[in-house]
Amino acid sequence: PRSVGLVTGRGSAAARDVLDNARRRWPSVRFVVREVAVQGSSAVAEVTAALAQLDADPTVDVVVIARGGGSVEELLPFSNETLLRAVVAARTPVVSAIGHEVDTPLLDLVADWRASTPTDAGKRVVPDAAAERALVSGLGQRARGALARRLDVERRLLVAARSRAVLTAPAAMLVPHRVQLQALRRAARERLLVRVDRESDRVGHLLVQGRALSPQATLERGYAVVQHADGSLVFDRDEVDPDELLRVRVAHGDFGVTVVG
């Protein structure tokens, strides 16, 4: 807590018990003390007023109502309905530290925490600095150990990764791909050459067939083409007249002839 509110008797041993034990455990604890009457006819009003003041203080995180032991009659103010309703209505947590372990005023039943004695209240409202330091130290050691183990694992993984062939000889991983690529290129070249040879043969056959079927090939076999003077072909003997000038086309050139009879 940032600060602890303490409602207690004037110059009481209960106040010293709360303050001494709390400061022994947490030396920097700050107390806001309200000294009031803790027995008699004015006790209820003074304790209730002090509680209201501390509850209204935003810096007070917890309120301790403390009193030493006494007879049942002396502790009756801490069973008063007015005080009990004020404790229930308080927004700030309230610790009841009334009397000894055997004393059980009704305040113990409505408070947020019941301390067996004022000394116990001083121990309850603040943490133990020594224990907290030990906890922090232990957590620091655990953190360092966890970090060291993590670093060791990562270091081993890094060493293992660096020892792999892909990092020691990066070009080695390309060798099988290069061999495969060369094989594929050879296969592709061979298939292409076979295809080109096949198509070349087919083109040659087509050329031979084309030449065999061309008019020029027919002329080269000794045939001739006879044409009238207007260029029309002569297909029949009856199509020509005596003394008509015809043109004869042979394999290499042409010449004129005159029809006889």
Side-chain angles (χ1 to χ4, degrees):
R2 292 169 296 179
S3 62
V4 178
L6 176 60
V7 180
T8 184
R10 297 178 178 89
S12 65
R16 291 193 299 273
D17 288 343
V18 174
L19 296 173
D20 291 346
N21 282 280
R23 288 168 177 164
R24 188 177 300 115
R25 289 170 59 86
W26 197 261
S28 62
V29 63
R30 172 176 173 268
F31 275 91
V32 180
V33 181
R34 293 291 182 269
E35 293 185 340
V36 297
V38 292
Q39 68 183 49
S41 59
S42 64
V44 173
E46 292 188 25
V47 172
T48 303
L51 173 62
Q53 292 175 6
L54 295 173
D55 188 38
D57 187 343
T59 65
V60 174
D61 294 318
V62 60
V63 176
V64 178
I65 300 176
R67 177 205 151 88
S71 65
V72 174
E73 291 77 12
E74 292 174 337
L75 300 181
L76 279 178
F78 299 99
S79 294
N80 183 274
E81 181 179 356
T82 300
L83 176 58
L84 301 183
R85 289 187 179 275
V87 170
V88 172
R91 292 171 298 178
T92 307
V94 177
V95 176
S96 174
I98 306 301
H100 304 293
E101 179 70 33
V102 295
D103 297 320
T104 55
L106 295 182
L107 178 61
D108 289 350
L109 304 180
V110 298
D112 296 280
W113 181 266
R114 175 189 182 270
S116 60
T117 61
T119 299
D120 183 46
K123 296 178 180 179
R124 296 286 187 174
V125 293
V126 293
D128 185 353
E132 295 299 321
R133 282 194 295 268
L135 176 62
V136 171
S137 177
L139 291 174
Q141 292 177 2
R142 288 175 56 187
R144 286 190 293 272
L147 182 59
R149 289 190 295 272
R150 180 62 181 270
L151 289 175
D152 185 58
V153 170
E154 296 298 332
R155 187 178 295 107
R156 289 200 300 270
L157 292 175
L158 181 60
V159 171
R162 293 179 61 185
S163 63
R164 293 179 180 175
V166 68
L167 293 179
T168 56
M173 64 178 297
L174 299 178
V175 173
H177 298 288
R178 185 179 293 111
V179 172
Q180 183 182 16
L181 179 60
Q182 292 174 350
L184 291 174
R185 292 181 62 182
R186 285 195 300 270
R189 186 181 298 106
E190 292 173 358
R191 294 184 62 180
L192 181 60
L193 291 176
V194 170
R195 181 66 179 272
V196 169
D197 290 342
R198 186 183 302 116
E199 294 301 322
S200 297
D201 292 341
R202 192 169 70 87
V203 170
H205 291 311
L206 291 176
L207 288 175
V208 172
Q209 293 177 3
R211 291 194 186 97
L213 298 175
S214 69
Q216 183 65 31
T218 301
L219 294 177
E220 289 178 353
R221 291 200 300 272
Y223 292 93
V225 177
V226 181
Q227 298 174 291
H228 293 286
D230 59 3
S232 60
L233 296 177
V234 177
F235 294 99
D236 195 321
R237 173 64 184 78
D238 296 335
E239 294 179 359
V240 298
D241 298 324
D243 299 326
E244 180 182 358
L245 179 63
L246 301 175
R247 177 164 297 281
V248 179
R249 182 175 182 180
V250 293
H252 304 287
D254 58 359
F255 53 87
V257 296
T258 302
V259 179
V260 180

